[in-house]
Amino acid sequence: EAGVTQFPSHSVIEKGQTVTLRCDPISGHDNLYWYRRVMGKEIKFLLHFVKESKQDESGMPNNRFLAERTGGTYSTLKVQPAELEDSGVYFCASSQDRSKLFFGSGTQLSVL
Amino acid sequence: AQKVTQAQTEISVVEKEDVTLDCVYETRDTTYYLFWYKQPPSGELVFLIRRNSFDEQNEISGRYSWNFQKSTSSFNFTITASQVVDSAVYFCALSEAQGGNTGKLIFGQGTTLQVKP
């Protein structure tokens, strides 16, 4: 069974540009989460989807971040326009029953 | 407020040594879950264990063992006879369950474990 897949694995962009990260959860998992780790800090929750609905987006830092999950399958996280402080590793996780989260390998985002 | 503290930033041991990774948590809830995840060089976070707040029994899985003590709000992780493949970043995490388990995790800062041959 395929795990959680994230694309791209690395992205280097300039300040002010737009970047879109993609996450493909494990098939059948209704719950999808985005987390991120900025340099030297803890991994922090961004938001939680149940199917295509946003269950909790309390961790989204500001309105430059937009997450979608059309059709309840894969999800995208767009940052527009990117700022230097957005650099970090963005993790996606999925879960069937919320008791155990399966994480992807993350997308390393560098904003220059 | 909920918080997880992993005071050890980096630990280096020689293969076959035992090593304990510390985790201290803060929460006002009486129902919660504690987790450990491993992040090998490949980058993904690998689930190791989940414990609920009502189960204080220690757990052993092969060379891994976990010591949960509510009295000290700690959930420590011990690797016995460490191996080079254990080299990774280890994260402790907390999830509140009151009102339903959301899967929203609060992570510690992580402990980088290096096991030298």
Side-chain angles (χ1 to χ4, degrees):
Chain A
E1 181 182 332
V4 176
T5 309
Q6 293 187 244
F7 302 98
S9 56
H10 293 84
S11 180
V12 181
I13 61 172
E14 292 190 354
K15 176 183 171 180
Q17 289 186 323
T18 297
V19 63
T20 300
L21 315 181
R22 172 169 169 148
C23 169
D24 286 74
I26 293 172
S27 178
H29 283 191
D30 289 340
N31 296 279
L32 187 149
Y33 305 81
W34 284 98
Y35 286 79
R36 77 170 178 178
R37 187 184 194 197
V38 296
M39 183 65 75
K41 302 214 170 174
E42 302 89 352
I43 300 171
K44 288 199 171 175
F45 169 84
L46 294 178
L47 87 159
H48 171 205
F49 282 100
V50 177
K51 297 186 180 178
E52 66 276 8
S53 299
K54 291 176 185 174
Q55 185 80 5
D56 180 356
E57 51 185 328
S58 60
M60 294 287 264
N62 52 60
N63 59 10
R64 294 186 294 103
F65 289 75
L66 175 64
E68 295 181 322
R69 192 182 182 195
T70 307
T73 54
Y74 71 90
S75 173
T76 57
L77 179 65
K78 181 191 287 189
V79 185
Q80 179 182 30
E83 299 289 344
L84 299 178
E85 64 264 25
D86 301 332
S87 296
V89 181
Y90 289 76
F91 290 101
C92 176
S94 73
S95 177
Q96 194 165 41
D97 60 2
R98 308 179 185 182
S99 64
K100 181 177 172 180
L101 271 60
F102 295 85
F103 282 81
S105 299
T107 294
Q108 173 75 58
L109 174 64
S110 298
V111 183
L112 306 178
Chain B
Q2 306 82 38
K3 186 178 179 182
V4 176
T5 301
Q6 294 178 254
Q8 303 150 308
T9 306
E10 291 184 22
I11 301 175
S12 183
V13 299
V14 176
E15 209 170 18
K16 297 184 184 175
E17 285 185 9
D18 298 347
V19 58
T20 295
L21 309 182
D22 297 333
C23 173
V24 174
Y25 62 92
E26 296 175 30
T27 179
R28 277 178 282 194
D29 287 348
T30 55
T31 305
Y32 52 89
Y33 296 98
L34 295 164
F35 302 78
W36 276 95
Y37 279 86
K38 173 183 179 179
Q39 185 184 31
S42 52
E44 78 278 16
L45 293 166
V46 178
F47 171 89
L48 295 179
I49 190 171
R50 170 182 177 254
R51 215 83 182 118
N52 76 55
S53 51
F54 297 109
D55 184 0
E56 284 193 73
Q57 275 195 340
N58 291 334
E59 180 150 344
I60 299 174
S61 176
R63 295 183 299 105
Y64 295 172
S65 62
W66 291 270
N67 183 356
F68 176 28
Q69 292 199 349
K70 286 179 82 169
S71 60
T72 56
S73 298
S74 65
F75 187 44
N76 296 337
F77 172 33
T78 298
I79 302 174
T80 303
S82 60
Q83 300 176 1
V84 172
V85 294
D86 296 327
S87 297
V89 183
Y90 290 86
F91 292 95
C92 181
L94 166 72
S95 173
E96 293 172 337
Q98 228 127 20
N101 183 16
T102 66
K104 181 176 176 180
L105 302 178
I106 299 157
F107 283 89
Q109 301 92 323
T111 297
T112 300
L113 173 64
Q114 183 181 36
V115 182
K116 297 178 182 176

